[in-house]
Amino acid sequence: MTMRPLGIDPGQCFIGGRWVPCESGSSLDLLNPSDGSTLCAIARGNALDIDKAVIAAQGALVSDWGRLVNFERGRLLAKIGQLVLEQLETLAELEALDVGKPLKQARADVIALARYMEFYAGAADKIHGATIPYLDGYTVYTLREPHGVTGHIIPWNYPMQIIGRSVGAALAMGNACVLKPAEDACLTALAFAQIADDAGLPAGALNVVPGLGAEAGAALTAHPGVHHISFTGSVGVGKLIQSEAGANVVPVTLELGGKSPQLVFEDADVDSALPFLTNAGIQNAGQTCSASSRILVHRSRFDEVVNGMAAHYRALRAGPAMQDLDVGPLVSHRQKEIVEGFLSKGDDLEIAATGQIIAVAPSGGAYVAPTLFADVAADHTLAQEEIFGPVQVVIPFESEEEAVAIANGTPYGLVASVWSQSGARQMRLAKRLRAGQIFLNNYGAGGGVELPFGGSGLSGHGREKGFEALYGFSTLKTVAALHG
Ligand code: ADP
C-alpha cells in the first residue's frame, strides 16, 4: 500500500484545513511492528505547531464551524461516518500495518469509528438545557455549551476507536479539536482528518499535530488557549497531564487502563464464559485498557476453567498483522521489552499454557507468545500491575466475600464481570465491585459505542462513550432573569 493513501501526507500536520510541514522541519520514523521495517516518516510537531493548531481551532469557533447549529453538526458527523465506512479496507490496512493488529480487529475498529460518528451525529441535537423553578418574578434556564478548544491526546492501541469516542463527542457539542496522536501509530488519525475535511468539516474544527509526547503532547496540555483535555494512556503520563492542566485550571478526562477482573462463580455457565475469558485478555495482543487480565475462579470450578482456557491458548497463533491470525505483534520493541520484563517476574509461577508465534513470523517483529498463568496469588506483581500484553493470570477464591476483596484489591477500577446464574448475586456484585463498567455473564473489552466508559482510582476519571460523553465535552451555563 502506498503511504499516501486517501490523499494524506503522513510527513505533515493537518492544521486549519490544510496539510502543512511542521515547524521543526524534522521527522520521526514510523515502524511496522510486524517486521520492524520503516513504514514512513511522520512530522515531529512541537509547541509552535500546537500553537498554530490552537489558533486555527479558535478561529473555527468564531467562523463557519461556530455558526453551525446542532443538527447541522450532526449531519456532518453522519457524513464523516459514511465516508469512513467507504474506506473500510484502506483504513483497516493502515491500522493493521501501523499498530500491528490483525486485519479483522482493525476492521472492527473502523466500524466502531463509523458507529461513533453515527451515534454522535444522532445525539448532537438531542442534548439541551432545562428550566428551573425559582423565586417569584424569575425565569431561570440552563444552556449546554461547548468548552471551546479541546485537546485530545491519544495512545497507539486503538487510535480510531479513541478518536471516535473523544473527537466525535467533542465535535457533536461544537468544540474545535486539536488532536495529538501517538508517535507509535498515527496514520489513521491523519486519514481521519482528511476524511472529515472531505465530508465538509469547516477548516480548523479538527487539527492534527503528530509528534512526541514530551514535545507536542506537553505543549498541548500546557497551552493556555485549550479549555479541556482528554487523555487516554499510561498512569504516569496521566498524572503529569492532570497536574500540568491544573496549572491553567483546565478540566481533564483521564482513561488510564486497569487490571480488570472476571469473576467465575460455582454456578457459572463455564462453556459460555470460556471464549470471553480468553478473548478479553488477548484481543489486540492484550494492549487494551479494558483488557481482562485477571480471571478469578471459585475453587470448585478452578481446574475446569484453567483447562478450558489452556486449550484456547494452545490454539492461539501469533504472526504478522496482514496474515490476520489470532494475535499480532506488540506495537513496538519497547512494549515487547516491558511485557517480557513482567513475564520474567512470573518465573515462580506455573504456566498453564502458551500460544505460538508462527515459524515464519519475521525476526524483526515485536512478537510475544500469549501466556496463561494458573493459581496465582492475588498480591503477586502479575496480578496487581497492568502488563499491557497477551498475559492473563487465574486466581482461585473460596467465597463471594473473598472474590470481591480480590477484585477490588488493586489501585484500578475500570471494568469487571460476573459469571453466575444467580440474579441476586449479579445485582449485589454490580454494586459492590469497583469499576466504571460491570458486565453480567459477558465481557465487552473495547466495544460498546453507546455505553458510558471510564474508571476510578488509577484507571482515571470522567466518562467517555455513549450520551454521557456529551456532558463531559460541554459546560453548563445558568441564566437567571428577573422580570417581575
Ligand atoms: P504508552 O506508554 O503506552 O506509549 P503514553 O501514556 O506514554 O502511553 O502515551 C499516550 C499518549 O500520551 C501518546 O500520544 C504520547 O505521545 C502522549 N504523551 C506522552 N508523554 C506525554 C507528556 N509528557 N505530555 C503529554 N502527552 C504525552
Side-chain angles (χ1 to χ4, degrees):
M1 158 185 290
T2 162
M3 272 305 116
R4 297 179 75 92
L6 307 168
I8 70 170
D9 188 335
Q12 302 207 0
C13 307
F14 189 79
I15 298 176
R18 290 187 309 123
W19 293 102
V20 291
C22 64
E23 293 288 331
S24 70
S26 49
S27 62
L28 302 164
D29 280 344
L30 198 65
L31 300 183
N32 177 350
S34 291
D35 60 14
S37 64
T38 301
L39 280 173
C40 62
I42 58 163
R44 182 172 176 172
N46 64 20
L48 296 172
D49 306 292
I50 290 291
D51 198 45
K52 276 165 51 180
V54 172
I55 290 169
Q58 288 166 335
L61 290 169
V62 293
S63 55
D64 290 354
W65 175 239
R67 282 193 283 272
L68 288 186
V69 295
N70 296 42
F71 79 86
E72 291 171 319
R73 294 201 300 268
R75 264 188 199 153
L76 260 174
L77 289 176
K79 177 80 178 160
I80 296 173
Q82 191 189 328
L83 296 190
V84 164
L85 280 183
E86 283 173 17
Q87 300 295 345
L88 199 157
E89 281 307 312
T90 310
L91 289 168
E93 280 183 30
L94 269 188
E95 198 79 314
L97 283 172
D98 202 358
V99 180
K101 61 178 69 186
L103 265 176
K104 53 181 159 301
Q105 293 178 27
R107 280 193 198 103
D109 289 359
V110 185
I111 290 165
L113 172 59
R115 280 287 300 122
Y116 278 113
M117 294 303 124
E118 291 162 358
F119 183 88
Y120 289 119
D125 60 354
K126 292 172 189 64
I127 185 157
H128 45 70
T131 54
I132 301 175
Y134 191 51
L135 302 175
D136 189 34
Y138 277 85
T139 297
V140 179
Y141 59 95
T142 59
L143 297 172
R144 185 57 64 184
E145 298 183 336
H147 289 293
V149 178
T150 51
H152 305 257
I153 300 176
I154 67 165
W156 41 261
N157 57 345
Y158 287 88
M160 285 191 286
Q161 292 217 28
I162 297 170
I163 288 169
R165 77 188 193 204
S166 75
V167 171
L171 289 176
M173 293 313 294
N175 299 282
C177 306
V178 178
L179 169 62
K180 208 302 277 174
E183 50 273 45
D184 285 319
C186 66
L187 292 178
T188 52
L190 295 168
F192 180 76
Q194 184 61 56
I195 287 173
D197 189 66
D198 293 346
L201 190 72
L206 171 61
N207 309 278
V208 184
V209 179
L212 296 173
E215 296 175 0
L220 181 57
T221 313
H223 199 293
V226 173
H227 304 109
H228 180 277
I229 297 278
S230 114
F231 170 76
T232 303
S234 61
V235 174
V237 175
K239 287 180 181 173
L240 213 59
I241 284 181
Q242 176 155 339
S243 73
E244 286 292 312
N248 292 333
V249 199
V250 167
V252 293
T253 302
L254 300 178
E255 201 271 271
L256 309 178
K259 195 70 190 170
S260 298
Q262 301 197 59
L263 283 60
V264 185
F265 284 91
E266 61 275 21
D267 60 345
D269 175 352
V270 167
D271 286 342
S272 300
L274 278 172
F276 287 89
L277 298 179
T278 310
N279 288 342
I282 57 97
Q283 179 183 313
N284 205 30
Q287 304 165 115
T288 305
C289 305
S290 53
S292 175
S293 48
R294 293 187 296 156
I295 308 298
L296 281 47
V297 187
H298 190 267
R299 232 343 145 191
S300 64
R301 310 295 295 275
F302 192 78
D303 290 344
E304 183 185 354
V305 169
V306 171
N307 290 339
M309 289 185 72
H312 281 200
Y313 264 73
R314 282 191 282 272
L316 292 173
R317 296 284 172 275
M322 300 308 258
Q323 288 200 26
D324 208 8
L325 304 172
D326 307 299
V327 184
L330 300 191
V331 73
S332 62
H333 282 279
R334 183 175 73 97
Q335 191 61 26
K336 177 178 152 134
E337 277 164 27
I338 292 171
V339 173
E340 286 175 345
F342 276 111
L343 288 174
S344 67
K345 290 181 185 158
D347 282 347
D348 55 326
L349 298 176
E350 175 202 338
I351 293 182
T354 58
Q356 278 179 31
I357 301 167
I358 59 168
V360 292
S363 59
Y367 299 99
V368 170
T371 306
L372 179 69
F373 290 101
D375 223 344
V376 179
D379 60 355
H380 193 284
T381 305
L382 268 57
Q384 284 288 316
E385 294 185 22
E386 188 180 40
I387 297 172
F388 232 57
V391 181
Q392 288 177 294
V393 298
V394 193
I395 305 169
F397 66 82
E398 305 283 352
S399 67
E400 183 179 303
E401 206 54 35
E402 189 192 1
V404 172
I406 295 173
N408 290 345
T410 75
Y412 296 98
L414 194 57
V415 179
S417 90
V418 176
W419 293 91
S420 167
Q421 302 295 323
S422 159
R425 173 181 277 146
Q426 293 168 13
M427 297 303 113
R428 200 161 48 236
L429 266 57
K431 290 187 177 169
R432 293 189 66 196
L433 291 172
R434 190 169 88 128
Q437 281 188 339
I438 305 285
F439 290 96
L440 303 174
N441 291 325
N442 71 109
Y443 193 93
V449 166
E450 305 84 350
L451 312 180
F453 176 69
S456 58
L458 289 189
S459 292
H461 52 76
R463 294 291 176 266
E464 294 190 311
K465 302 192 181 185
F467 216 73
E468 197 66 27
L470 300 169
Y471 300 111
F473 283 108
S474 61
T475 181
L476 195 74
K477 181 184 281 172
T478 304
V479 183
L482 172 58
H483 41 68

